[in-house]
Amino acid sequence: MFGIKKSEPSPMPIEEENETPDIQEIYLPDEIKAADTGDSELNEKIAELSKLGYQFLKEGNVEDSINSFEEVLSIDPDNNYALVGLGDAMRKNHDYQKAIEFYNKCLEFHENNNYALFGLADCYKALNQFTKAIQIWEQYLKHDDKNITVLTRVADAYRKIRIFKRSKEIYLRVLELENTNPYALIGLGHLHYDYKEYKEALHYWTRMYNQNQESCDIRVLTSLGNCHRKLKTYADGIPYFNKALERDPVNFYALFGMADCYRGLNRQKESIYFWNKILDIDPENKVILTRAGDAYRNIREFEKAKEYYNKALDIDFDIYAALGLALLCKDEGKLDEAVERLLNLIRGDRKNYRLYVDLADCYLKMNRKADAIAALEDFQKCGIKSQVVNDLLDRIR
């Protein structure tokens, strides 16, 4: 159901819904002036058709809005309102290439039309052509560097192409103009989180949370919790995930966060409760099955752990489930079987330091010190540095 394949989810799917609003909601013309065709009656008809087209667009009636704008163009082929309106209508239908054509046609006749520029930039953003979008927005900012909507869009785009310094600079400019701007606070949180600067991300998301705690977006709550997970301040993360679950009892990010925080606090029984809550919804999530297996193994419920690891492996091979079964053998004193399982895993994943560490530990429990050293030295021959391996070798020697 959730389709999570990695060992843990991304912080939250906040961006698509919480980025700066759709341009149409902001830049629809407040006043549409009659065209100058030399015929006052015709001019008024063009103005009325344009107003009607934008009204249809606001109501989500794209087909009728297109008809209205096309009728305008049949009278006045280079009418800026109709060309932008058709661009907006095509963008509403996610036909970005067609929208680009209309915006560009408008700019041929009206090169400084802000509505066409904004729509064009948004199309490039939607097509993930962030560099082109930035060029258009930056061009506008030369003339109006206080437009918060454009500033946040540019900062978002720089963040997407991982230009940290420029993105942060523009977000902070937005906060200078409006210190509670939610899009800048959310963007700065994501920016720092992406660069593993979790304290800074926590700072900005906390500012967002403090603006209105009772109605704060659930994705901000899970992001705050995730910052605490990354900082290993698990106890501080739990209240945020709990608040999220009060609003949405089956929210994956909140359930995962609760389970992982309790795991970090070594409160395995509580973590098992939340792993199983996820599995009630998504019973074939092999990552969660493996996490639950680990928790059962840690409280020495070995048969239950084996059941969960095997369920994960029945779905698809998972190295952590296979490792879990090897560690179960070690915990049960079946050291020869544990060694055999670990050696098989190493043959398939020679650069995973964790496997060598667990193998060395098995050898040490069997009083085979030389084999433990040889296993760790084999890993070092792979050319990968691991402080854990180095420290263990030093202790053994």
Side-chain angles (χ1 to χ4, degrees):
M1 178 178 174
F2 293 113
I4 299 295
K5 299 297 183 186
K6 298 180 181 178
S7 59
E8 67 173 71
S10 57
M12 64 175 177
I14 192 171
E15 296 175 7
E16 294 307 315
E17 294 180 46
N18 269 33
E19 280 185 337
T20 44
D22 184 18
I23 211 85
Q24 292 161 347
E25 296 177 13
I26 300 168
Y27 292 109
L28 288 180
D30 295 323
E31 179 184 357
I32 295 177
K33 298 177 182 178
D36 185 10
T37 64
D39 183 330
S40 60
E41 190 174 329
L42 201 57
N43 293 345
E44 288 304 318
K45 183 179 180 182
I46 290 172
E48 286 304 314
L49 283 169
S50 297
K51 288 176 185 176
L52 191 60
Y54 280 107
Q55 185 59 41
F56 283 136
L57 203 55
K58 286 178 73 174
E59 294 169 356
N61 188 345
V62 177
E63 186 176 346
D64 283 340
S65 75
I66 290 172
N67 291 336
S68 295
F69 292 131
E70 286 181 341
E71 191 172 348
V72 172
L73 290 183
S74 70
I75 303 167
D76 180 11
D78 63 348
N79 184 277
N80 60 333
Y81 297 115
L83 290 169
V84 171
L86 283 168
D88 290 347
M90 297 303 166
R91 189 154 55 85
K92 276 278 191 186
N93 280 342
H94 306 291
D95 188 349
Y96 299 112
Q97 293 297 344
K98 196 69 177 175
I100 287 170
E101 289 178 24
F102 282 113
Y103 291 134
N104 277 328
K105 189 171 181 181
C106 177
L107 291 168
E108 285 177 19
F109 300 114
H110 314 277
E111 61 180 351
N112 294 316
N113 186 293
N114 284 342
Y115 304 111
L117 285 170
F118 296 150
L120 187 60
D122 263 18
C123 284
Y124 286 129
K125 185 188 85 165
L127 294 169
N128 293 325
Q129 296 180 28
F130 297 110
T131 302
K132 285 186 177 180
I134 286 169
Q135 288 171 352
I136 296 166
W137 284 320
E138 290 275 24
Q139 178 185 337
Y140 172 81
L141 289 174
K142 289 177 182 176
H143 306 289
D144 179 9
D145 65 352
K146 294 183 180 180
N147 187 308
I148 286 176
T149 301
V150 177
L151 285 166
T152 50
R153 279 174 143 66
V154 178
D156 287 343
Y158 275 120
R159 176 166 60 83
K160 294 285 179 63
I161 61 174
R162 300 189 68 78
I163 299 181
F164 179 93
K165 183 178 179 181
R166 182 64 175 146
S167 179
K168 183 175 181 179
E169 177 184 298
I170 298 173
Y171 281 133
L172 292 176
R173 170 67 175 149
V174 173
L175 292 180
E176 285 177 12
L177 297 169
E178 184 185 308
N179 65 4
T180 60
N181 185 277
Y183 306 111
L185 292 172
I186 286 171
L188 281 162
H190 276 295
L191 184 66
H192 287 287
Y193 193 98
D194 290 347
Y195 281 86
K196 303 186 190 312
E197 296 177 352
Y198 303 118
K199 286 184 179 179
E200 290 81 358
L202 188 62
H203 167 75
Y204 289 109
W205 279 329
T206 300
R207 282 178 61 179
M208 182 74 183
Y209 172 70
N210 287 338
Q211 286 184 30
N212 197 338
Q213 297 185 13
E214 294 307 312
S215 61
C216 182
D217 193 295
I218 194 170
R219 293 159 296 183
V220 174
L221 293 171
T222 54
S223 286
L224 287 163
N226 280 320
C227 283
H228 284 296
R229 280 201 310 116
K230 294 296 187 180
L231 292 168
K232 302 190 186 304
T233 51
Y234 301 111
D236 293 327
I238 287 173
Y240 292 110
F241 290 125
N242 199 39
K243 282 179 183 290
L245 289 174
E246 287 173 4
R247 298 192 199 170
D248 179 6
V250 295
N251 183 282
F252 174 79
Y253 298 91
L255 290 170
F256 185 99
M258 289 289 273
D260 203 49
C261 282
Y262 281 123
R263 179 198 60 80
L265 292 169
N266 200 29
R267 292 165 60 177
Q268 302 296 344
K269 288 185 177 179
E270 286 105 326
S271 78
I272 287 170
Y273 171 80
F274 287 102
W275 295 133
N276 280 323
K277 290 284 281 185
I278 297 175
L279 292 170
D280 287 342
I281 305 163
D282 188 8
E284 295 198 349
N285 189 317
K286 66 187 181 78
V287 171
I288 304 303
L289 284 165
T290 301
R291 291 290 184 102
D294 289 343
Y296 280 117
R297 179 170 56 81
N298 286 328
I299 60 172
R300 304 190 69 77
E301 290 192 23
F302 295 147
E303 287 306 310
K304 203 71 176 170
K306 192 177 299 182
E307 175 190 335
Y308 277 70
Y309 288 138
N310 282 323
K311 278 183 181 178
L313 290 169
D314 286 343
I315 295 165
D316 192 13
F317 177 76
D318 184 282
I319 190 167
Y320 295 104
L323 174 59
L325 287 172
L327 296 178
L328 267 179
C329 292
K330 185 174 74 168
D331 291 338
E332 293 176 319
K334 302 174 184 177
L335 295 173
D336 287 329
E337 185 179 346
V339 166
E340 184 180 347
R341 285 178 178 272
L342 287 165
L343 287 171
N344 283 334
L345 289 175
I346 287 171
R347 291 186 192 103
D349 188 2
R350 294 189 177 278
K351 296 182 178 182
N352 188 330
Y353 81 92
R354 169 85 184 272
L355 301 176
Y356 293 86
V357 169
D358 287 319
L359 178 61
D361 188 49
C362 285
Y363 283 138
L364 291 173
K365 284 179 166 55
M366 300 166 79
N367 294 317
R368 293 166 59 179
K369 180 179 175 181
D371 287 332
I373 292 172
L376 296 173
E377 288 177 340
D378 283 345
F379 172 78
Q380 289 182 325
K381 291 174 185 175
C382 294
I384 302 171
K385 293 181 180 180
S386 168
Q387 195 58 45
V388 175
V389 170
N390 294 342
D391 290 346
L392 182 56
L393 259 176
D394 289 341
R395 286 200 301 274
I396 296 172
R397 285 168 174 165

